[in-house]
Amino acid sequence: MTNPHTIEIRLAERVDAPALHAMICEIGKATGCADKIASTPEDLARDGFGKDRAFDALIAIADDTPVAMCLFFPSYSTFRGRPGLYIQDLYVAPGHRGGGFAKRLVAAVAKHARAHGKSYIRLSVDAENMIGQRFYEKLGMRHAEDEKIYVLDGAAFEALSSAD
């Protein structure tokens, strides 16, 4: 395992889109959702690195190889009256797990958030991912017991967005 202190963590650049996508595909495999991934590296390059980008990402590089990433985007809480960030994806390659990389990435996102006037971080974790849930709790995150995540996509999205 690489020493976590020799890993470079930086904002991802357009050239990193294929590596980010490969890690997203690994998340899909690990969660049994590989068949649901419709995005491409080109989608990430288009949506993450232009003038009106939809997300930012941090990438961790060890020995010129991407080994971890954290993809996030802006959020806003009307209850708090404050902006924040939503972490969409966090991934560490299996050979680098347990070395503190995930904590360093989330801490880097928190520093990025604070530096840009944000006051909180939100995320969701797969209900069966107990390791992930324990990890986030160790960081000081709490489970929002009073919330459930709903998704509108596919045919339901098309129908509602086309409704008169």
Side-chain angles (χ1 to χ4, degrees), residues 14-48:
R14 183 181 299 271
V15 68
D16 298 314
L20 294 173
H21 189 263
M23 289 186 259
I24 290 165
C25 289
E26 290 300 316
I27 293 170
K29 288 179 195 172
T31 58
C33 298
D35 60 326
K36 294 180 182 177
I37 296 176
S39 67
T40 66
E42 292 77 21
D43 294 329
L44 298 181
R46 177 194 64 232
D47 296 333

Side-chain angles (χ1 to χ4, degrees), residues 38-95:
S39 67
T40 66
E42 292 77 21
D43 294 329
L44 298 181
R46 177 194 64 232
D47 296 333
F49 304 100
K51 186 181 102 179
D52 296 320
R53 65 181 183 256
F55 65 86
D56 283 302
L58 293 172
I59 191 163
I61 308 291
D63 301 321
D64 297 322
T65 302
V67 297
M69 67 92 165
C70 188
L71 189 143
F72 56 94
F73 51 83
S75 177
Y76 187 80
S77 171
T78 56
F79 281 24
R80 290 180 183 91
R82 301 285 308 186
L85 291 177
Y86 187 92
I87 292 177
Q88 179 67 34
D89 295 305
L90 176 64
Y91 176 80
V92 178

